[in-house]
Every structure is written in structure tokens, then in C-alpha cells.
Amino acid sequence: MVPSRFDTIRVASNKIARGLTNSSLIRISGASYFEINGDNGTGSRGLTLMLPQQMAGFSNRVVDLIGGLTPIATSDSSNSNTAIRNCNIMGVSSNVNDSTFAGIYMGGVNIVAVGSIGANLNARYGRNSFNTFDNNFIGGVQYGVYMRGRTLKAEVDNGNVVSNNIIGGDIAPSGSSNTNYWGGIANAAGISVNGQSNLSITGNLIKNNIPTFGNNRGIEVTVWPVNGLSPANTSIGSNITIEKNEIYRITSTVAWNCVRAWLAQDRWGIVTGKQIGRAHV
């Protein structure tokens, strides 16, 4: 994929989605200069990416960016200069809860629990750089945007942008329709990022999480510890800008939940880690 060539996704008939573990509706793997843009010329979100019911599963996501996997892995298997813009991104949900891990996911192919190093990630998933997620609506998922970089300092993600997205809708749980709130598990976040350098999180609206779980937060910026510590080779977030975001109606069963985490506290729903250098909030 190169700037001088267009790559096109076309619709084929009679294709049935299968709900495999750690799968997605659209997977971008080892790509450069690739864009999904739902703008129909009016500046609107004209493309809806909705995970089908057959793919309900707590490790699945709507769109993911994964380091190059066999047989397409190369010596430079990261994703760079890709974009997801102007789309409605919807996970599988019910009128009670969400059954999709993330709307947009970038990291290793397998989901690993928060606070774990996770040897079962595919070996090539770091250095995802200059990717943009802009002006999307994301709902019906546990995490709106989830970005996990490599645990090695030399292989952190760099220069990514999360901007102008709306995470969380207005269809509440316990109604007659499937909810488009986010959350539905403890420790969920509207935007959760790890192992990032020169990251911009700007102009996003994050609202309305499912309120029956603890420790949910609007934006979370973390490092991944080993046995509760951050060793010398652990990824360090640096030069991270968080500005002009609006966060409200973040609720849970734990007091001060929208700011509570093992790292730090902030009463506006932004959690940052101990090894975040030059974070502009």
C-alpha cells in the first residue's frame, strides 16, 4: 500500500461472519497509507461498521490494527499512516450490557487483561505510527478506543491521533432497545492507551457509560507493570497531549470511580500513569 495507489474494499454477497475469539469485522495488519472514510462529501458519517450478532464475544472488536501476521508479516510489520474517519462504529450489545471489547483496537492479536504483560500476544505489534482515528461515533462497546503499545521502550507506538470522536450514545440500558452506552465491565475506559509517544487525544466527547460496574474512566493513559513495578525496559508514554475533550456522565458502583485507578487520580475522568513524560492535559 503506497500513497500513489488506491486500495478499495468492495462488498461481496452471501458472506456469513463467524464469531472466532480475538476477531474483528475489519482487520488492518501491517498496512501503510490505508484509509476507511465514511464521508460522502457532506462531512457526515455515511458509513456504519456494525459487528454482527454472530461475533458477540468479550475479546472481539469492530475494527483492529494488528502487527503483520503470518503469512503477510515482514521485517516492518507495523501499521502506519492509516486512518479511520467519519464512521459509525457499533459493537454487539443488548438492552442490558455490551458484548464487544473495543470499537477501535490497536495492539497484539490477543486481548490481555489490564495489568498483565501477556506472553500470548503476537510478537510483532509495536511501532504502530502516524495512524488517525477521527470524527467517528463509537457505541455498544466496552472500550471506545483501545491502543496497546509494545512493552519495550524502543518499540513504542508514535505519532498517533485520536480526535473529534463521540464515544457513547444516548440509548440507555434497561430500555426496549440495545444500548449504545460504552462500558459494561470493571475498569473500562472511553479511550485507553498504553506505550504511546507523541500521541494526541483531542476534541473527543466521551459520555454515558453503563453505570453498574466500578472504576470506569473517560480517558486512561498507562504503562504496564511487572509485579506492580515498572522495570527499565517498560514502555514509557511521552509527549502526550490531551486537550479540548469533553467528558461527562461517567458513573459506577465505586465512589470517585471515573478517576480511580492504580496509577493516579484526576476528578475530570482522566487517569495518567507514573511514567508519563510531558503529558499536556
Side-chain angles (χ1 to χ4, degrees), residues 201-216:
I201 302 175
T202 306
N204 301 283
L205 169 60
I206 304 169
K207 62 177 182 176
N208 290 342
N209 69 310
I210 294 176
T212 50
F213 295 86
N215 299 330
N216 285 191

Side-chain angles (χ1 to χ4, degrees), residues 28-242:
I28 303 170
S29 183
S32 297
Y33 299 100
F34 179 82
E35 180 177 274
I36 300 174
N37 193 335
D39 184 3
N40 59 10
T42 63
S44 63
R45 301 182 184 97
L47 176 63
T48 296
L49 305 175
M50 180 178 293
L51 206 64
Q53 190 67 42
Q54 298 96 314
M55 293 184 69
F58 293 107
S59 65
N60 291 342
R61 42 269 187 180
V62 185
V63 181
D64 60 15
L65 288 80
I66 306 297
L69 302 172
T70 302
I72 63 173
T74 67
S75 59
D76 184 11
S77 61
S78 61
N79 297 281
S80 64
N81 297 286
T82 69
I84 303 170
R85 308 178 191 271
N86 306 308
C87 295
N88 297 301
I89 297 174
M90 297 296 302
V92 177
S93 67
S94 67
N95 66 341
V96 176
N97 208 351
D98 296 326
S99 301
T100 301
F101 183 79
I104 297 174
Y105 171 93
M106 187 167 70
V109 66
N110 295 335
I111 299 296
V112 175
V114 171
S116 301
I117 293 302
N120 62 333
L121 290 166
N122 59 299
R124 300 176 182 273
Y125 65 95
R127 294 193 294 263
N128 292 296
S129 301
F130 307 110
N131 303 290
T132 299
F133 312 130
D134 177 68
N135 197 38
N136 302 288
F137 170 80
I138 304 174
V141 294
Q142 295 165 358
Y143 290 83
V145 177
Y146 186 98
M147 303 162 64
R148 176 172 175 170
R150 198 83 161 94
T151 56
L152 300 177
K153 291 180 182 178
E155 298 184 8
V156 296
D157 297 343
N158 179 57
N160 297 302
V161 176
V162 183
S163 58
N164 305 312
N165 301 285
I166 299 175
I167 299 173
D170 297 310
I171 303 175
S174 302
S176 59
S177 300
N178 294 346
T179 183
N180 59 7
Y181 280 26
W182 61 270
I185 57 171
N187 304 307
I191 298 172
S192 180
V193 299
N194 161 261
Q196 304 292 315
S197 178
N198 300 304
L199 169 71
S200 176
I201 302 175
T202 306
N204 301 283
L205 169 60
I206 304 169
K207 62 177 182 176
N208 290 342
N209 69 310
I210 294 176
T212 50
F213 295 86
N215 299 330
N216 285 191
R217 43 265 193 180
I219 298 173
E220 178 181 53
V221 183
T222 66
V223 296
W224 294 87
V226 179
N227 298 324
L229 301 175
S230 296
N233 69 337
T234 297
S235 59
I236 296 179
S238 63
N239 199 29
I240 295 172
T241 298
I242 305 172

Side-chain angles (χ1 to χ4, degrees), residues 1-10 31-36:
M1 299 179 182
V2 296
S4 60
R5 186 187 72 201
F6 288 98
D7 296 280
T8 303
I9 296 176
R10 298 188 185 278
S32 297
Y33 299 100
F34 179 82
E35 180 177 274
I36 300 174

